[in-house]
Structures are given as C-alpha cells and as structure tokens.
C-alpha cells in the first residue's frame, strides 16, 4: 500500500490537544495538590481527581493507570486504618496517607501529560500559544539534547571504570573533575554540530513556521477546558463569599 | 552552479581545534549543474572547509578570514543569510547522531520545509514522494534514538531530499557506516545523480562512489593538487592513489574476507557464557555459550551496524554489569571484575576516555601502583608513540589521531595484556590508517592480544590475521 504521511500523522494524533493537557495539569496542581480553596471546594476537587485516571484509560495507558490507582488505594487504605492504630504508627499512617492522597492525582496527571505528548506536539502547541521563537527553539533543543548528553555521560562513566578511576581507585579525589572535562568538551561539540545542522536547514528564517503536527481543539478539549474554567469560577465565587452548596 | 574564485581561508582564533589545519589557499573550482564532484585528500586538507564555504556555515557560523568569492547559483553568498542559502543547498553531515533536531522521524523529514513556511499539504506530499522514492516506509513515525547509525544516515539523506535543494553536499556521510549501509547510501546518491542534482561529496572512503562521480578533486594542505576525470579517473591505479594519500577504490565486504577465526597451533583465550540484552529488550544482543580467540594475534570483529559488536567489547571489558560470564586467559579464570584489570579498550569517541589536564598526566595515572621511576617510564612510552612533543598539551586539544595514540599509550602504561579497539580507523585517511595498523602490529610483537571492531577492509588486510564475524 502507498504510504501517506498525512493519514499516518492523523492516526497518531492524541486524544487531547497539548494545551488542554497543560491547562488540566495546572488546574490539578493548584487545586488538588496546592489545596487552594480549602474544604469548600472539596466536591469539585474530588470530581477533578477522577479525570486523569479516566484519560489514562481512554489512551490505553494501562500500566500508568494501574500504578496510579494502586498508590491512591494505598493512601486511602492508610487513612482508613489510621484511627485503629496507636502512637507513632498512627502518625506515620496519617502522614503517608495524607501525602499520597494529595500528591498521587497530580502526579498521575503529569504522567499523562508527559507520556502522551510528543516533543513536536508540545512545540507546536507552544507556537500556537504565540510563544516567541526565542523560547520555543531553546526548549526543543533541550528535549533533543538530554538523551544525547545522557548517552555521553554513560559512556564517560564506563571509560572511567575501565581506566580504573573510581572511588577507592587511583586519584579518587579528582573523580568529579575528571568526569567534567570530557563531558564539557563533548557537550560543546554536540551542541555545535546540532546547531550547524539546524542552521543549514533554515532554522531561524523570518517567516511563519509551519508545523505538520496535528493538534487543535476538538469537542473533548472544549469540554475539559470548560471544566477548568468552571473550577476557577467556583473558586472566585467562594472567595467572594457566595455559599456554594447548602450543607 | 557553484563557483569558488581564488578563495583563501583561515579559521579564526576561537576555533582552536582547526587553528593550524584546514585552511585553504587560492582555491579555484567550478562545479556545473548536474555534476557529481568528489573532494578528497588526507585529513586536514580542507575538503570539509570547502563544503562549509558553500553551505554558508563559513563565515556565518565558523568564523575566520575569507578572501575571494564563493558563488552559488550565480550569487555571491557572502551577503546571504544561512536560511536563504538553505533553499539552495542541503548538507548531510558525518556524525549520524548529531544532525537531528527532532525526536521522531516524520517530523525530522518535515523540519526543513517547516522552517521555510511551506504549506502543510505540500510538506505531506513531498514526504510521501521521498518515502516512496527511498523505500523507507518502515522508518517512518519512529523514535530516532532507536535507529541504527545506518538508518539515521538514511533519514538525514531523506530530509535533504524532502527539502528539495538543487545542490547537495555530503560531508563524509559513510564514516560510521557498515558495508551494507554504505551500499544503501550509494543507492540514494545514485538516485540524486539520476535526478540531475548537483552533488559535492567530501570523503576518505572513496570506493563506494568512485564509479558514480564525474570528477575527483584531490587536495593537500589547502591546495588543489590534482584533478581526475574521464579515462584517467577510471584507469588510475591503487598504488598511485596511495602515493597521493588516498584510500582504495575497491569496495570489499569485510565479512567476505576469508581469514580463519583460529589456526591450528594457536593458544586459545576462551569466552564462556556471555549473555547480554538491553534493559527492557527481549532479544539478547549477545548470546555466546563459548567462543575461542587466538592469543597474541590481531582479530578483526566484523558485522553490520547494530549486530552487537560494541556490546561484545563492553562485555569482554567487564563494563556490562548484567553480563556475567567468564574469560579464560593463560589457564586462569577471569570474572567480570577481574577482567577490568586485564583488558583495555580504546573507544570510538576517544575524547571520552581522556580525563586529565596534560598528556603526561594521562599516562601517569594509567601506570600500575608502585612503578619505579614513574615519570621516566611514562616519557619512554610517549616517545615510542611519537607523542613526546606534546607532554604538556591538554589531551582534549589534540587531533583525533593523536587522541587515539594517547589512549593506546595509556593501554601500554597500564600493562594490560588484552587490547580492544572500537572502529579505530573510521574517518581516517590512508596514512593515518596505516599508522594505526603499524602500531597494532608493534603491540602484537610485544605479546598483546588485540581485538578490533571495524568496517575497514583495508585495515583488516593491513594488519589482522584472524576474523570473527558477528
């Protein structure tokens, strides 16, 4: 069959636009993790907490879903057990349970964001948000550079082991210095070669860049962005002293 | 199409590595439309510098003093921005690992066009035609970090093809490639030639494109010393090329060289139960119940990119923690830990294994503890390897060949009896290749066992006595 890059890109398109994912993550971090809005907002937070798990299921990220679900279950289990425990144990259960129930949801949301967004989608989203090139270009270079430098680091550590330079080996005191020297030289070299190649391919031309990444708001994005807005509106209302619900 | 008129060039002071070499002197060169030109010559002759002048990286990215004029498509490029030049000239670089901007292959192919603001539908149709033309459907939508070097280089060529420039520059694109990938590269270049593109290649390994080129320009120390074309090019003998410091024009698959793995009467080093797979991967890269290597000989390890040759070296060296296995040498058993004191490896990126601030210091830290007259011994080793003029230089400021010699000096100093080399001659000219071969032969005479991973058939013929195919 003839290859079509357009339909391949369409098939790879994520369920949500990266911008929606970012908005949701920020919302989670502020309200669920940061605890903004206090106890009044509790029902809203509970509703928000379900979302990342649902999204992971939709994108078939079973492993991430199970991991998150288990951590959350442990957290609630500890809080449930807590009243039946004594002394220090009770304190430990309270602390661990509290941290887990608070953190897990946001961490799961972050995992969803990282796990389902490709670098090009992310950059494309940044461009649509009208971030200037001065920010998006260094960012995309960073994504590109980390794995490369990671591989370089590994190779240097190996070389040191082979040369017999290690803690307890020759000149252990200079270990750090010895690691840094080739690291610096090779990072500079890699950076230079990467930029040279990107420049010969026209990066930085003063035209509006196009991007073949398929992103854009669809019905699911609008729904979820609406959820975010509702959350913020409710919070402002509660700040203004409007009674949200009748207890 | 491309014209260099009386061009001279010297790198600026900040490009330390290139300061003394690679300058050009009064170059006159005209390349017509549709011509395939080869630039070749010993390391430091200035062939890469000429490519950089044509794609505009000199003087916009690498600074220095240029005199004379470089015309691309009739226009002097000195007044042109790099992104304007990108519409006319595409470049494939030497290192497959450092010429990617994206993480996935499809976006990488689109990158050049995206920068020019080409419409999305146009980009899609260009990608589709390149993919069909190069038959690379299986490489699409992949993570570039998971591709082999050969596949990466194919993506690099394809992205130049998608950008659709009339002039294509190739800067030693085959340096890291195995025999099969080199043949693949040859096919891609042939397609460009048939499509009427103007191609200028800088290469040491001239065999794979010798019959495709229209003209070969041979450089030495920044000057054009010869031009070969037509019948003269086709009938030139290998001996004459050698005299000009050039490599062979005969393409030979290293895995087809008929050397034995071991001969009768060889003392045997035996490797047992070597198994290794990458974390998370199901298939084992290395699975060797038992393997014999000839002691005191030079054995070439050949095989295609990604076959696990480098992993095998790492395992022998004891650098892969998850590879257990033992090595039997002179009747003694060596576990993974013990092997670290028996085996020395000269890595492909030699710069990554030099740590200190001076050449002398580098050798000193390699000497075993309690050596008498450390300094005298170190100086002697450096002298043997022609490095005694550089004792105070910073190892990272040496040239590629010198770094390699220094690493070998450290190996000698450490007194280890088995030496492994990973692609020691990739990107080396004839003279340097021969130098490395000679060094290996000298070490062998002193009783060192050498294993060398290589794609270089000339090196194998020059110094290896045994072959191991992976």
């Amino acid at each position: 069959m003839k290859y079509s890059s357009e339909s391949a890109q369409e098939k790879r398109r994520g369920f949500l636009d990266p911008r929606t994912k970012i908005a949701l993550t920020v919302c989670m971090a502020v309200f669920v993790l940061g605890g903004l809005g206090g106890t009044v907002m509790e029902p809203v937070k509970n509703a928000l907490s379900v979302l990342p798990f649902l999204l992971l299921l939709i994108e078939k990220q079973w492993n991430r879903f199970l991991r998150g679900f288990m951590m959350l279950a442990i957290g609630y289990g500890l809080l449930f057990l807590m009243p039946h425990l004594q002394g220090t144990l009770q304190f430990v259960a309270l602390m661990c349970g509290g941290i887990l129930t608070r953190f897990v949801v946001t961490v799961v949301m972050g995992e969803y964001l990282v796990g389902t967004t490709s670098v090009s989608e992310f950059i494309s989203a940044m461009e649509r948000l009208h971030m200037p090139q001065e920010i998006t270009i260094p960012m995309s270079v960073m994504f590109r550079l980390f794995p490369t430098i990671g591989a370089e680091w590994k190779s240097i550590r190996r070389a040191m082991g082979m040369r017999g330079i290690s803690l307890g080996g020759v000149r252990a005191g200079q270990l750090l210095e010895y690691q840094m020297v080739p690291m610096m030289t090779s990072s500079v070299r890699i950076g230079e070669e990467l930029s040279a190649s990107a420049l010969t391919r026209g990066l930085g031309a003063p035209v509006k860049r196009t991007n073949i990444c398929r992103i854009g708001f669809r019905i699911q994005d609008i729904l979820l962005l609406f959820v975010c807005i509702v959350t913020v509106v409710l919070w402002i209302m509660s700040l203004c002293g409007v009674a949200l619900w009748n207890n | 199409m491309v014209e260099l008129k009386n061009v001279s060039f010297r790198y600026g002071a900040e490009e330390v590595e290139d300061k003394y070499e690679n300058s050009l002197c009064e170059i006159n060169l005209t390349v017509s439309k549709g011509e395939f030109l080869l630039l070749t010559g010993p390391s430091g002759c200035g062939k890469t510098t000429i490519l950089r002048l044509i794609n505009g990286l000199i003087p916009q990215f690498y600074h220095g003093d240029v005199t004379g004029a470089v015309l691309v498509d009739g226009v002097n490029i000195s007044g042109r921005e790099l992104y304007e030049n990108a519409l006319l000239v595409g470049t494939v670089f030497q290192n497959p690992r450092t010429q990617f901007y994206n993480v996935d292959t499809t976006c990488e192919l689109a990158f050049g066009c995206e920068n020019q603001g080409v419409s999305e539908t146009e980009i899609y149709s260009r990608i589709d035609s390149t993919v069909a033309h190069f038959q690379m459907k299986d490489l699409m939508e992949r993570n570039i970090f998971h591709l082999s070097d050969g596949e990466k280089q194919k993506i690099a060529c394809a992205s130049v093809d998608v950008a659709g420039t009339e002039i294509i520059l190739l800067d030693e694109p085959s340096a890291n490639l195995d025999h099969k990938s080199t043949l693949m590269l040859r096919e891609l270049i042939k397609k460009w030639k048939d499509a009427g593109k103007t191609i200028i290649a800088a290469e040491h390994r001239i065999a794979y494109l010798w019959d495709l080129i229209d003209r070969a320009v041979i450089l030495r120390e920044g000057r054009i010393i010869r031009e070969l074309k037509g019948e003269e090019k086709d009938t030139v003998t290998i001996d004459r090329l050698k005299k000009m410091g050039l490599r062979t024009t005969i393409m030979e698959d290293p895995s087809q060289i008929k050397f034995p793995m071991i001969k009768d009467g060889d003392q045997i080093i035996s490797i047992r139960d070597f198994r290794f797979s990458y974390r998370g991967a199901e298939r084992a890269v290395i699975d060797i119940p038992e393997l014999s290597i000839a002691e005191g000989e030079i054995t070439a390890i050949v095989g295609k990119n990604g076959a696990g040759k480098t992993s095998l070296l790492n395992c022998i060296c004891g650098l892969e923690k998850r590879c257990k296995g033992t090595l039997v040498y002179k009747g003694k058993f060596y576990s993974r830990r013990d092997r670290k004191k028996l085996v020395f490896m000269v890595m492909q990126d030699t710069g990554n294994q030099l740590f200190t601030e001076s050449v002398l210091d580098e050798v000193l830290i390699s000497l075993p503890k309690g050596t008498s007259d450390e300094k005298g011994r170190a100086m002697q080793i450096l002298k043997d390897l022609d490095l005694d003029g550089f004792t105070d230089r910073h190892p990272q400021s040496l040239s590629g060949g010198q770094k390699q010699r220094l690493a070998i000096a450290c190996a000698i100093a450490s007194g280890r009896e088995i030496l492994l080399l990973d692609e020691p001659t990739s990107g080396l000219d004839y003279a340097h290749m021969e130098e490395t071969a000679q060094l290996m032969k000298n070490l062998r005479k002193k009783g060192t066992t050498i294993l060398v991973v290589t794609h270089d058939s000339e090196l194998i013929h020059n110094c290896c006595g045994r072959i191991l195919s992976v």
Side-chain angles (χ1 to χ4, degrees):
Chain A
M1 208 188 74
K2 207 172 162 295
Y3 173 80
S4 158
S5 51
E6 186 166 10
S7 58
Q9 284 294 93
E10 188 59 46
K11 215 182 287 167
R12 283 206 305 167
R13 183 178 181 166
F15 178 70
L16 289 182
D17 184 284
R19 287 166 287 179
T20 316
K21 296 180 197 171
I22 294 170
L24 272 175
T25 313
V26 171
C27 209
M28 269 334 146
V30 171
F31 288 99
V32 182
L33 180 68
L36 200 67
T39 43
V40 194
M41 295 282 284
E42 206 61 56
V44 184
K45 288 179 192 171
N46 288 341
L48 273 181
S49 305
V50 183
L51 279 177
F53 292 96
L54 216 64
L55 287 170
L56 281 179
L57 282 183
I58 291 172
E59 300 245 19
K60 303 195 180 77
Q61 301 267 328
W62 311 124
N63 283 337
R64 288 201 165 87
F65 173 81
L66 278 179
R67 227 181 312 153
F69 190 78
M70 265 170 49
M71 293 310 278
L72 202 63
I74 292 171
Y76 278 113
L78 283 173
L79 285 188
F80 177 76
L81 275 177
M82 192 257 303
H84 309 287
L85 296 171
Q86 307 270 311
T88 338
L89 266 181
Q90 187 178 30
F91 177 70
V92 169
L94 177 66
M95 200 173 72
C96 293
I99 290 175
L100 280 176
T101 47
R102 220 170 162 163
F103 275 76
V104 165
V105 176
T106 313
V107 170
V108 169
M109 188 63 218
E111 279 215 348
Y112 170 75
L113 172 71
V114 174
T116 61
T117 314
S118 73
V119 175
S120 27
E121 278 177 328
F122 184 75
I123 297 300
S124 183
M126 285 291 143
E127 279 167 3
R128 300 253 182 126
L129 285 172
H130 298 287
M131 286 279 180
Q133 278 203 347
E134 286 75 24
I135 296 178
T136 52
I137 291 179
M139 253 163 115
S140 55
V141 171
M142 252 165 49
F143 282 122
R144 171 66 187 72
L145 215 55
F146 281 140
T148 317
I149 293 201
E152 213 64 14
W153 177 246
K154 200 172 153 193
S155 132
I156 290 168
R157 294 288 302 270
R158 285 193 159 172
M160 296 193 92
M162 196 267 306
R163 296 277 308 271
I165 303 166
S166 60
L167 286 173
V170 254
R171 302 212 193 165
Q174 272 147 301
L175 203 62
L176 194 67
E177 185 193 325
Y178 284 174
Q179 276 168 351
M180 290 325 286
V181 172
M183 195 66 210
M184 305 270 265
T185 356
S186 67
S187 303
V188 169
R189 198 198 70 230
I190 290 169
E192 193 178 288
E193 287 176 7
L194 281 177
S195 339
S197 146
L199 287 171
T200 58
R201 295 165 71 196
L203 185 70
V207 292
K208 196 183 174 321
R209 270 194 102 229
T210 41
N211 199 316
I212 60 159
C213 243
R214 289 288 158 128
I215 62 167
F217 293 131
R218 286 177 294 183
I219 181 80
Q220 56 267 40
D221 296 287
I222 294 166
L223 261 172
L224 285 170
L225 285 173
F226 185 69
V227 170
C228 291
I229 292 168
V230 167
T231 313
V232 174
V233 169
L234 284 175
W235 171 61
I236 292 171
M237 278 167 66
S238 76
L239 270 190
C240 299
V242 182
L244 287 183
W245 0 82
N246 300 316
N247 290 321
Chain B
M1 204 68 185
V2 178
E3 209 177 343
L4 274 75
K5 281 187 188 162
N6 209 13
V7 175
S8 296
F9 176 77
R10 265 190 97 79
Y11 280 96
E14 68 260 44
E15 320 285 345
V16 182
E17 238 177 273
D18 298 313
K19 202 172 173 183
Y20 308 102
E21 288 181 328
N22 302 316
S23 46
L24 293 177
C25 199
E26 290 162 18
I27 298 283
N28 282 296
L29 187 67
T30 310
V31 188
S32 47
K33 191 170 162 51
E35 192 180 359
F36 183 0
L37 176 82
L38 170 72
L39 298 169
T40 188
S43 312
C45 69
K47 50 189 185 309
T48 299
T49 309
I50 291 184
L51 295 189
R52 286 176 180 172
L53 278 164
I54 298 170
N55 63 23
L57 283 175
I58 291 175
Q60 306 250 16
F61 188 75
Y62 300 101
H63 305 287
D65 311 320
V66 194
T67 55
V70 182
L71 306 174
V72 175
D73 208 12
V75 182
N76 194 326
I77 69 149
S78 69
R80 231 180 337 203
E81 292 288 338
L82 275 169
Y83 53 78
E84 291 174 283
N85 229 13
L87 288 165
L88 290 169
V89 185
T91 314
V92 178
F93 294 89
Q94 175 180 357
N95 191 341
R97 272 159 264 174
T98 56
Q99 49 180 312
F100 296 107
Y101 189 79
N102 293 277
V103 179
D104 89 73
T105 51
T106 312
C107 293
E108 181 62 23
L109 293 196
F111 181 69
C113 293
E114 289 178 342
N115 288 332
Q116 310 284 2
V118 177
S119 78
E120 284 165 43
T121 36
E122 169 70 14
I123 299 179
Y124 283 129
S125 81
R126 284 202 205 175
I127 292 180
D128 291 350
S129 88
T130 297
V131 170
H133 199 51
F134 285 1
Q135 297 170 0
M136 47 184 291
K137 206 170 115 183
D138 52 322
L139 293 183
M140 303 310 291
E141 289 102 41
R142 299 263 298 273
N143 181 333
I144 294 183
F145 286 96
H146 298 160
L147 301 182
S148 75
D149 282 354
E151 291 170 329
K152 282 180 191 152
Q153 213 60 326
K154 192 167 184 176
I155 294 289
C157 290
S159 43
V160 168
D161 194 67
V162 171
T165 54
E166 273 310 305
I167 302 166
I168 293 166
L169 307 182
L170 306 163
D171 188 3
E172 296 192 46
S174 76
N176 291 293
L177 302 188
D178 62 27
H179 183 76
K180 210 177 135 219
S181 307
T182 310
L183 287 177
M184 178 273 303
L185 182 66
R186 177 192 150 87
E187 284 312 303
L188 301 187
I189 296 173
K190 198 157 172 277
K191 285 185 171 151
W192 280 331
K193 187 181 152 82
D194 294 343
K197 305 264 186 191
T198 309
I199 309 168
I200 306 175
E203 264 291 6
H204 283 300
R205 289 170 79 185
I206 54 178
Y208 76 101
L209 34 75
W210 191 251
D211 61 319
L212 294 180
I213 57 169
D214 297 309
R215 183 157 58 117
V217 166
I218 300 156
L219 295 135
R220 175 161 246 162
E221 289 165 1
R223 290 170 195 273
I224 295 177
I225 56 162
R226 259 213 94 88
E227 270 194 38
L228 293 174
K229 58 182 168 189
E231 204 184 333
E232 198 186 2
K233 171 186 83 93
D234 296 332
T235 54
V236 72
T237 60
I238 294 171
D239 275 340
R240 258 192 75 204
L241 290 172
K242 259 186 204 170
K243 285 206 185 84
M244 291 186 268
L246 300 187
R247 295 291 207 113
T248 177
T249 53
I250 297 167
M251 184 112 190
E252 189 180 17
D253 183 351
S255 61
Q256 296 302 316
I257 298 175
K258 296 274 175 271
F259 283 171
M261 217 168 89
I262 26 177
K263 274 189 190 155
D264 290 342
D266 277 351
Q267 294 291 312
I268 300 291
I269 300 174
S270 128
I271 283 172
R272 289 179 196 168
D273 300 320
F274 269 44
R275 255 169 227 104
F276 174 74
S277 58
Y278 287 109
R279 205 176 287 274
E282 279 186 21
R283 198 178 59 89
V285 192
I286 308 277
D287 188 2
I288 303 172
E290 174 137 24
L291 177 73
S292 303
I293 295 163
E295 186 191 314
E297 295 290 339
I298 304 176
T299 304
I301 303 178
V302 298
K304 59 181 201 304
N305 286 134
K309 301 185 296 293
T310 301
S311 299
L312 177 61
L313 292 194
N314 283 334
C315 291
I316 294 176
C317 219
L319 296 176
E320 294 294 356
K321 286 203 177 100
R322 284 173 303 127
C323 170
K324 302 282 183 282
T326 48
L327 182 144
V328 190
Y329 176 66
K330 293 188 172 164
K332 264 172 78 180
F333 285 76
Y334 289 85
S335 69
R336 185 182 78 80
R337 269 164 188 281
D338 303 333
R339 286 204 296 280
K340 281 192 175 178
K341 298 201 173 76
L342 175 73
V343 187
F344 194 99
M345 172 147 72
V346 177
M347 298 174 161
Q348 204 175 353
D349 274 323
T350 329
N352 279 357
Q353 62 183 135
L354 303 174
F355 304 110
T356 62
E357 279 168 28
S358 78
V359 168
L360 180 64
D361 220 18
E362 203 66 53
V363 178
L364 283 175
I365 62 165
S366 310
L367 289 167
K369 270 180 200 155
T371 313
S372 58
D373 185 23
E374 283 188 336
K375 194 153 179 213
R377 171 93 181 104
M379 285 306 286
Q380 185 57 45
I381 293 170
L382 286 173
K383 195 152 181 257
D384 291 345
L385 291 178
D386 260 346
L387 283 168
D388 48 342
F390 301 97
T391 45
D392 291 328
R393 279 273 289 275
H394 198 291
Q396 303 289 351
S397 73
L398 300 175
S399 77
Q402 290 164 340
K403 279 184 197 164
Q404 196 183 76
R405 287 217 298 282
L406 178 55
I408 294 175
C410 295
I412 299 171
S414 69
R416 300 187 202 175
E417 290 166 41
I418 300 176
L419 179 64
L420 313 179
L421 297 110
D422 195 358
E423 303 273 8
T425 57
S426 74
L428 289 194
D429 60 29
Y430 187 80
H432 284 94
M433 184 273 292
E434 209 168 36
E435 218 170 70
T436 306
Q438 192 55 48
L439 201 54
M440 282 159 65
K441 284 191 265 190
N442 291 346
L443 284 171
R444 187 194 149 224
K445 269 188 216 138
K446 288 181 188 152
T448 310
T449 303
I450 299 175
L451 290 175
V452 52
V453 163
T454 188
H455 302 307
D456 190 341
S457 307
E458 260 182 309
L459 176 77
I460 298 175
H461 283 299
N462 216 312
C463 68
C464 300
R466 309 285 183 273
I467 259 192
L468 167 64
S469 234
V470 192

